[in-house]
């Protein structure tokens, strides 16, 4: 039997009427990408749904994966964007801390909270926060032929505990609370930076994800907890001896896979406070400082005439030539290839 293509099938369903389409429990618009995704309407393996009895929910919730950080160098956060049709999730939970941000059309969610059904209108930018092992029931009520476009940020509870301990908080007394918010500018800013990192290739940079995931965990601890948390505050930047030690460590390890936690450990501090005080001292985050230090070292290597761009990138810890080129142009205003061409032109002029 000849297989029906997406467009004719969509037209046929419309002819059969809305009742038939909904009886199939499918949104008519799903057939616009049916040929591309086929049976990929599966929940992300990176943060599956579980039943409240601890069993894995077979099949999960239907979705189409649009973007994912899985497989990158980011260890502390998972960033994924999905398209969802109308669906129902009853008595389920996550085993990680999950943030869901509506990045598409306005949608309506129905939540069952303390035995009462609540309807929540989600405009673009609206946030749902699901703490680990907190059961919930939810129904996505989307317009027919419109899919929910959701960006997920997923944090491991163990990582959040480490951040809490770095903030000198009593991790055993921390309780994060399920919340529905119409907006959260700080969280939204971090989320968009993480998504941009996956889109641009910055997900290959471990420090980029490490810094943002730490900021995200600290924000959750402060704004989504059961109590107001007041961590110790420090001002004035790093002591000079610690700053010099950090700079020396960075310069010595430029070619290595540097991390904020590694640098902080070298100076005997928690990653969170080190990052804050380092920026107060230098005007740059550790990630920004490391990237610029690598670019300047690469320029030194290239001006010797002994290294290709690819070799210089490898020697200073960039992932590849394009990674170096992007940051080189940002720091110096021109790509490294142009620098080499100018160098060759000057060398030729000297000979004559």
């Amino acid at each position: 039997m000849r297989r029906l293509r997406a467009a004719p099938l969509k037209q046929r369903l419309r002819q059969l009427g809305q009742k038939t389409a909904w009886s199939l429990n499918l949104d008519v618009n799903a057939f616009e990408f049916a040929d591309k995704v086929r049976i990929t309407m599966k929940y992300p393996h990176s943060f599956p749904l579980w039943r409240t009895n601890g069993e894995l929910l077979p099949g999960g919730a239907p979705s189409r994966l649009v973007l994912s950080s899985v497989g990158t160098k980011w260890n502390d956060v998972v960033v994924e964007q999905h398209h969802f049709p109308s669906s129902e999730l009853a008595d389920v939970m996550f085993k990680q801390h999950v943030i869901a941000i509506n990045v598409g059309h306005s949608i309506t969610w129905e939540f069952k909270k303390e035995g009462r059904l609540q309807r929540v209108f989600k405009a673009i930018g609206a946030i749902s926060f699901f703490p680990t092992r907190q059961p919930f029931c939810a129904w996505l009520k989307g317009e027919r032929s419109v899919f929910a476009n959701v960006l997920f940020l997923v944090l491991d509870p163990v990582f959040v505990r480490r951040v809490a301990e770095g903030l000198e908080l009593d991790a055993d007394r921390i309780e994060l609370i399920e919340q529905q918010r119409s907006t959260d500018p700080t969280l939204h800013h971090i989320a968009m930076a993480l998504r941009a990192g996956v889109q641009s290739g910055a997900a290959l940079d471990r420090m980029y994800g490490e810094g943002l995931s730490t900021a995200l965990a600290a924000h959750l601890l402060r704004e989504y907890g059961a109590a107001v948390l007041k961590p110790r505050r420090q001002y004035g930047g790093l002591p000079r001896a610690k700053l010099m030690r950090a700079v020396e460590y960075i310069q010595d390890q430029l070619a290595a896979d540097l991390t904020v936690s590694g640098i902080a450990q070298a100076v005997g501090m928690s990653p969170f406070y080190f990052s804050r005080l380092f920026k107060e001292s230098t005007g740059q985050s550790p990630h920004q400082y490391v990237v610029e230090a690598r670019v300047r070292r690469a320029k030194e290597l290239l001006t010797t005439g002994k290294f290709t761009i690819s070799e210089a990138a490898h020697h200073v810890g960039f992932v590849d030539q394009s990674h170096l080129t992007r940051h080189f142009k940002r720091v110096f205003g021109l790509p490294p290839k142009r620098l080499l061409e100018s160098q060759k032109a000057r060398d030729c002029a000297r000979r004559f």
Side-chain angles (χ1 to χ4, degrees):
M1 183 176 179
R2 185 170 63 86
R3 179 170 59 86
L4 291 173
R5 300 297 295 175
L9 186 53
K10 178 180 176 181
Q11 182 179 4
R12 185 177 177 183
L13 277 174
R14 282 177 172 165
Q15 291 171 350
L16 290 172
Q18 181 179 349
K19 182 177 179 181
T20 303
W22 281 110
S23 70
L24 292 173
N25 196 29
L26 292 169
D27 192 307
V28 172
N29 197 48
F31 291 98
E32 289 185 349
F33 57 79
D35 278 350
K36 294 182 180 179
V37 297
R38 299 286 176 198
I39 314 299
T40 60
M41 300 284 286
K42 297 290 182 68
Y43 208 76
H45 64 84
S46 48
F47 53 109
L49 280 165
W50 300 80
R51 297 189 189 279
T52 52
N53 63 5
E55 295 179 357
L56 183 66
L57 183 67
S63 70
R64 178 168 72 102
L65 182 65
V66 179
L67 184 78
S68 179
S69 66
V70 173
T72 68
K73 289 188 173 183
W74 294 356
N75 296 326
D76 303 320
V77 65
V78 172
V79 181
E80 288 196 344
Q81 188 170 336
H82 288 253
H83 287 169
F84 284 88
S86 296
S87 55
E88 176 181 339
L89 301 171
D91 297 319
V92 293
M93 65 182 182
F94 295 110
K95 290 190 177 180
Q96 294 134 304
H97 297 304
V98 176
I99 301 161
I101 305 173
N102 181 26
V103 292
H105 295 286
S106 299
I107 56 176
T108 300
W109 277 96
E110 289 184 354
F111 288 91
K112 192 174 184 180
K113 190 76 172 177
E114 297 177 352
R116 298 179 61 185
L117 193 64
Q118 302 177 19
R119 177 170 292 185
V120 181
F121 178 75
K122 294 280 188 180
I124 187 169
I127 291 163
S128 299
F129 174 58
F130 304 96
T132 177
R133 299 181 181 276
Q134 292 295 312
F136 65 91
C137 298
W139 294 265
L140 172 61
K141 304 291 185 180
E143 296 289 337
R144 196 167 67 88
S145 78
V146 175
F147 279 76
N149 192 359
V150 183
L151 180 67
F152 291 96
L153 308 179
V154 185
L155 293 172
D156 190 295
V158 175
F159 169 69
V160 176
R161 285 179 63 88
R162 289 204 308 268
V163 173
E165 290 166 357
L167 290 169
E168 297 189 345
L169 302 173
D170 185 350
D172 293 330
R173 298 179 60 186
I174 293 170
E175 181 185 3
L176 296 178
I177 305 300
E178 177 188 329
Q179 295 188 38
Q180 307 296 325
R181 295 194 179 189
S182 60
T183 184
D184 182 334
T186 299
L187 192 153
H188 190 269
H189 177 77
I190 296 171
M192 293 304 102
L194 285 166
R195 184 175 70 167
V198 179
Q199 293 170 329
S200 68
L204 296 173
D205 189 329
R206 191 186 303 276
M207 288 188 70
Y208 183 95
E210 185 183 29
L212 288 172
S213 58
T214 300
L216 178 60
H219 182 70
L220 286 181
L221 289 166
R222 287 186 177 133
E223 301 296 330
Y224 290 74
V228 177
L229 304 177
K230 297 180 179 180
R232 180 188 62 181
R233 301 298 300 268
Q234 295 189 29
Y235 299 94
L238 286 169
R240 181 172 177 79
K242 288 184 179 291
L243 177 61
M244 295 302 295
R245 173 61 183 139
V247 170
E248 290 171 2
Y249 182 88
I250 291 169
Q251 294 295 334
D252 290 342
Q253 303 291 324
L254 278 181
D257 192 10
L258 280 167
T259 63
V260 174
S261 56
I263 304 169
Q265 185 177 6
V267 298
M269 297 183 67
S270 74
F272 182 83
Y273 278 118
F274 168 76
S275 296
R276 172 181 291 178
L277 299 183
F278 185 89
K279 186 170 185 177
E280 287 186 18
S281 296
T282 65
Q284 294 178 303
S285 69
H287 173 254
Q288 292 170 328
Y289 187 92
V290 168
V291 168
E292 187 166 321
R294 283 174 168 161
V295 168
R296 294 187 183 282
R297 179 73 61 82
K299 182 181 179 183
E300 293 174 4
L301 296 178
L302 290 172
T303 53
T304 66
K306 299 178 181 180
F307 297 88
T308 65
I309 300 173
S310 179
E311 289 170 341
H314 174 74
H315 274 77
V316 300
F318 283 111
V319 175
D320 52 28
Q321 180 174 326
S322 63
H323 193 198
L324 167 60
T325 298
R326 183 169 70 253
H327 291 295
F328 195 99
K329 187 175 181 180
R330 178 179 57 80
V331 174
F332 293 114
L334 77 168
K337 183 178 180 180
R338 188 85 57 80
L339 175 72
L340 290 178
E341 291 171 350
S342 300
Q343 184 77 19
K344 289 179 181 178
R346 286 194 294 270
D347 291 343
C348 288
R350 291 193 191 100
R351 293 194 189 100
F352 295 99

